[in-house]
Amino acid sequence: MFLGAGCYDFFNSQSGLSNLAISTGVAITLFSTGLIPKIFSMPLKSALKDIQSPILVKVETQQYLALSGIVISSIGLGMQLLI
């Protein structure tokens, strides 16, 4: 949803590249969070543990996706602040 809206705005209404980067980062972060199926129904304390189960991919892959989404969103926010 975020990625589609960001791409649509970028190509049709000529919004900046920073908005596309933020939308892409948010979409990647939400996708990586969705790889842990019970993340939205468990208590916050157990969600922040080091190891969550069950998980659909390796833990390193999920963490890499989450980190890359946060980094891409941060780059987009930085671009918005500098321009």
Side-chain angles (χ1 to χ4, degrees):
M1 178 87 175
F2 284 104
L3 186 59
C7 289
Y8 179 81
D9 286 342
F10 180 72
F11 290 119
N12 289 329
S13 66
Q14 303 300 327
S15 67
L17 186 62
S18 61
N19 288 339
L20 181 63
I22 292 171
S23 298
T24 304
V26 168
I28 292 171
T29 305
L30 288 176
F31 174 74
S32 69
T33 306
L35 291 175
I36 304 172
K38 293 185 177 181
I39 192 79
F40 299 110
S41 63
M42 67 175 58
L44 185 61
K45 186 176 181 180
S46 63
L48 297 177
K49 288 190 318 187
D50 287 341
I51 299 173
Q52 294 93 7
S53 63
I55 190 166
L56 299 176
V57 294
K58 292 192 313 186
V59 175
E60 294 85 16
T61 305
Q62 190 269 336
Q63 290 174 347
Y64 174 74
L65 282 171
L67 183 62
S68 64
I70 291 169
V71 167
I72 291 171
S73 294
S74 299
I75 290 170
L77 285 173
M79 287 171 43
Q80 272 190 344
L81 292 175
L82 293 176
I83 295 176

